[in-house]
Amino acid sequence: MIFEMEIKMSESPQSEKIWIDGNLVGWNQATVHVLTHTLHYGYGVFEGIRMYNTDNGPAVFRLEEHLIRLFRSAKILGIEIPFRKEDIFRATLETVRANNMEECYIRPLVFLGDDKRGLNCQGAKVHVAIAVWPWGAYLGDEALSNGIKVKVSSFTRHHHNIFMTKAKVCGAYVNSIMAKMEAVKDGYDEALMLDPNGNVAEGSGENIFIVRNGKIKTPPVSAILDGITRDSIISLASEMDTVVEEQYFSRDEVYIADEAFFTGTAAELTPINSLDNRIIGKGNVGPITKKLQTMFFEALRGKSKKHKNWLCYLGTQAYPTWRQDLNY
Ligand code: PMP
């Protein structure tokens, strides 16, 4: 197991520089002490963002929204990030530029240092790192074009009073990893998690949508991460004159749906072919899923006039002015 992990680690995509606490350092220099608080207890927050190449050069998809969520996640945990949003915004672009990439995944991470040991981590030093690496289709190119096999997880998604599901908290992903590993070991591509009431919640790292009789449904944000891709799909669906209903639904409603798909920064828009071995619809990519996927890829590649504001071009000098009246 350890040997296997070492091989996989060395095969992991890398980049040259990582931004940490205000400085760009070499990939191998971005290290922490073994007593780093977040390493022990998972008390930290992070983001997952993508940059795509477009006809006008590389552009980060919905960077402002991701950074707002990062700061909100920190607020939920009571962590004070020692940088302003505009600093992290600039640092993100600086990191991508320093690594000379046209497309990449971007991982800002806020974590507590090694100066506190116990659970009362008040006053612990807060660190921020931003790493980028090349990352193709999370579930594979084949998954994007042909869809995936999903299993309802035996692990329940967090109740929002157990784990704050609006925050993208490092430790919350223990639950996701258990679900993902179980699904993959059982021969599926991804897990679908139910909330503590038995309603459909989300994938291990994705939001879910279903289509039935031309109507699109997605669970409300109470027990799930408020996905930025989810939000993008809701906007795109409204342009197709299709309202997305935010409603609870059960796993058997997914079994009898005409179409289903996952959304997420990593997974983008991945069609679901089957759930628990029940073929969904015709078992291929349904027309509404296909249309939304096309619109989504057009938007992130800068081909949609309507959604130019979702893109932050790498060469931009125009930084957003964060609204002071909004309580992020
Ligand atoms: N749910 C979970 C649990 C996730 O980890 C993610 C990925 N961030 C999502 C949903 C999708 O969110 P987004 O579209 O903002 O990436």
Side-chain angles (χ1 to χ4, degrees):
M1 174 73 175
I2 290 173
F3 181 62
E4 229 177 66
M5 257 178 68
E6 276 166 7
I7 301 234
K8 288 210 176 96
M9 288 292 289
S10 63
E11 284 172 358
S12 292
Q14 293 193 357
S15 60
E16 262 180 56
K17 302 273 184 202
I18 291 182
W19 186 95
I20 183 154
D21 294 336
N23 300 303
L24 278 170
V25 300
W27 179 277
N28 291 326
Q29 276 73 57
T31 53
V32 293
H33 194 276
V34 73
L35 290 180
T36 296
H37 196 279
T38 305
L39 185 60
H40 294 248
Y41 305 116
Y43 207 78
V45 296
F46 68 100
E47 265 307 316
I49 313 171
R50 271 190 193 266
M51 184 178 78
Y52 292 93
N53 206 0
T54 75
D55 292 342
N56 297 317
V60 183
F61 188 68
R62 305 197 72 178
L63 177 56
E64 287 175 67
E65 289 85 344
H66 279 284
L67 295 185
I68 288 170
R69 190 171 67 188
L70 181 72
F71 277 74
R72 285 183 173 159
S73 295
K75 178 179 182 176
I76 290 170
L77 292 201
I79 295 177
E80 211 166 302
I81 300 180
F83 294 94
R84 298 168 310 162
K85 269 183 285 314
E86 39 273 64
D87 301 327
I88 302 298
F89 187 92
R90 284 194 171 92
T92 304
L93 296 180
E94 191 188 335
T95 311
V96 180
R97 284 190 203 112
N99 285 292
N100 227 350
M101 285 181 181
E102 291 190 329
E103 302 217 333
C104 62
Y105 182 83
I106 304 168
R107 167 58 55 79
L109 171 70
V110 176
F111 63 99
L112 304 185
D114 56 25
D115 52 336
K116 293 274 170 184
R117 301 280 183 272
L119 297 188
N120 180 4
C121 48
Q122 253 179 9
K125 186 154 171 38
V126 180
H127 300 273
V128 183
I130 307 169
V132 305
W133 61 84
W135 217 6
Y138 175 63
L139 294 158
D141 291 326
E142 168 79 13
L144 284 179
S145 41
N146 294 330
I148 55 166
K149 255 179 93 166
V150 177
K151 168 198 194 309
V152 169
S153 184
S154 71
F155 298 99
T156 302
R157 196 65 184 142
H158 302 291
H159 183 277
H160 49 266
N161 280 338
I162 293 176
F163 236 109
M164 309 294 111
T165 52
K166 301 286 170 308
K168 203 165 161 60
V169 178
C170 299
Y173 284 80
V174 171
N175 179 245
S176 286
I177 291 171
M178 305 261 274
K180 176 78 183 183
M181 303 266 278
E182 176 190 61
V184 171
K185 278 192 184 142
D186 288 351
Y188 298 82
D189 301 299
E190 188 50 281
L192 174 62
M193 307 190 75
L194 306 180
D195 71 17
N197 295 320
N199 296 309
V200 167
E202 61 184 340
S204 64
E206 306 89 3
N207 293 119
I208 185 169
F209 289 77
I210 59 169
V211 182
R212 233 180 120 202
N213 301 327
K215 288 196 177 140
I216 310 179
K217 273 194 204 178
T218 193
V221 290
S222 47
I224 59 171
L225 187 75
D226 194 352
I228 290 161
T229 320
R230 175 185 181 277
D231 178 72
S232 311
I233 296 303
I234 293 174
S235 295
L236 295 172
S238 72
E239 288 157 32
M240 290 167 53
D241 288 330
T242 315
V243 178
V244 176
E245 287 167 4
E246 297 185 63
Q247 259 182 31
Y248 293 110
F249 51 86
S250 54
R251 68 196 278 181
D252 55 358
E253 202 167 331
V254 186
Y255 293 162
I256 57 168
D258 302 323
E259 303 176 33
F261 57 90
F262 275 138
T263 63
T265 298
E268 299 165 311
L269 192 158
T270 300
I272 301 174
N273 290 339
S274 67
L275 178 64
D276 300 338
N277 303 314
R278 274 77 166 176
I279 300 289
I280 296 174
K282 296 199 171 76
N284 53 14
V285 183
I288 293 182
T289 305
K290 184 82 213 149
K291 174 89 182 124
L292 284 168
Q293 196 187 46
T294 306
M295 290 169 83
F296 179 60
F297 279 103
E298 279 173 3
L300 55 82
R301 296 254 171 231
K303 294 188 191 308
S304 150
K305 280 204 187 101
K306 261 202 172 137
H307 298 294
K308 289 270 183 235
N309 63 343
W310 283 352
L311 298 180
C312 172
Y313 287 95
L314 198 48
T316 190
Q317 296 305 324
Y319 295 113
T321 43
W322 306 94
R323 283 180 50 194
Q324 299 306 320
D325 57 323
L326 269 185
N327 175 15
Y328 295 119

